[in-house]
Amino acid sequence: MRTTSISGRMAETGGRSSGFDDLRLILAVSVVVLHVAAVSNGMQAEMAVFLSPLRPLVRFILPAFFALSGFLVAGSLARCRTVALFLGLRGLRVMPALTFKVLLAALVLGPLATRDTLGRYFHSPSLYTYLLNIVGSVHFGLPGVFIDNPLPGVVNGQLWTIPFEVASYVVLAGLAVLGLSRRRSLAPAAAVGMTFAYLATTLIRHGGVLVPVPGMPNGALLIVCSLWGVSLYQYRDIVPYSRPLCLVATAVAASCLGFIPYGDFLAPLPAAYVTVYLGLRNPKRRWLGKADYSYGIYLSSFMIQQACWQFLPAARSWEGNLLIALPLSVGAAAISWHFIEKPALDLRHALREIETAWLERQARRADASLPAEAD
């Protein structure tokens, strides 16, 4: 049986596999399902999920998100002629929806849900520090909001990953400046280097003792997952696209994420391979066409779940919360996609035109600076 490479599989799917779209959506919905435990019964209930037999599966969610992102944005970087365009495109993808959801939480949901008076709410410093979420400085609480919930005072608990997502883009841009297109070994070298750096800082911080992480893998290791996704893209011509290899990688990733002490340090590469393999499966598009609701679900679901618990008694059990909050989260994501995210992404054509004009201007200046040839 002939084994193709990842590059060969990408060619078979026309370079736009629907599997990545489906996987993004499945992962986003999985985040909603996971958070039901904490929203309905407090953080100890979510920790119980992490310590249950489901531990390998639930701890795979964010590594898969980051590996998927790394693989796809590496492709985006390869199509950009400047690092500035790459960062601009990333900004168009991340910032508009994030800004909208933060303002919606602070200026609409907060006043409706707060136990404070509106005067105290709008004069509270924590309202304005919450707005710093727009620039990646994470703050979870709004004044008087959700203070009686099982998970008190947390409006958008999932935002803790945003700075690490942005950091992964910055790291990739840095590798591009160092010549990633010519030296593809920079990506796996950076992944290994960051793993050892995090290991060393962890040992120093805890006096030479490794402390197990009961919940999701640390944010630094999520960046490593992204870098392994980038590495698989860079080496796509030689890495096989193989079901047996995926099964082995699945077993290794599950063992590292679920059972092997400190296996988090070894999990990113096999988790990234499993993610890329599944993303390239390319099933028929059955659900949303080219619409991508995953980011909107991820950004809005937590505050919707918390609001449902506060305002709707039927949503205070885990099953009730899931049945009510999930459709509302999908609806919010649809609004975000069609009115915020897609219009913002349509601006990428303007960014590419700016890039082209800038490069042409630089080329003209270079030509003008050349000495004239002698007759």
Side-chain angles (χ1 to χ4, degrees), residues 264-285:
D264 290 9
F265 294 95
L266 302 174
L269 176 55
Y273 185 85
V274 173
T275 302
V276 172
Y277 181 88
L278 294 176
L280 289 170
R281 291 299 296 164
N282 199 39
K284 291 183 179 179
R285 296 183 185 274

Side-chain angles (χ1 to χ4, degrees), residues 114-135:
T114 185
R115 300 301 190 195
D116 291 346
T117 64
L118 290 182
R120 288 182 60 187
Y121 179 85
F122 283 105
H123 284 88
S124 173
S126 62
L127 168 62
Y128 301 99
T129 55
Y130 184 84
L131 297 178
L132 293 175
N133 283 308
I134 293 172
V135 294

Side-chain angles (χ1 to χ4, degrees), residues 72-92:
L72 294 181
V73 301
S76 173
L77 176 63
R79 293 187 293 273
C80 295
R81 291 182 288 175
T82 63
V83 174
L85 176 62
F86 168 72
L87 292 175
L89 292 175
R90 292 300 90 212
L92 287 179

Side-chain angles (χ1 to χ4, degrees), residues 18 20 154:
S18 62
F20 287 112
V154 181

Side-chain angles (χ1 to χ4, degrees), residues 295-320:
Y295 189 46
I297 292 173
Y298 187 79
L299 286 180
S300 62
S301 59
F302 200 98
M303 63 180 179
I304 289 175
Q305 289 177 280
Q306 287 279 64
C308 286
W309 193 96
Q310 176 169 321
F311 293 115
L312 302 172
R316 293 186 176 178
S317 64
W318 71 265
E319 62 273 24

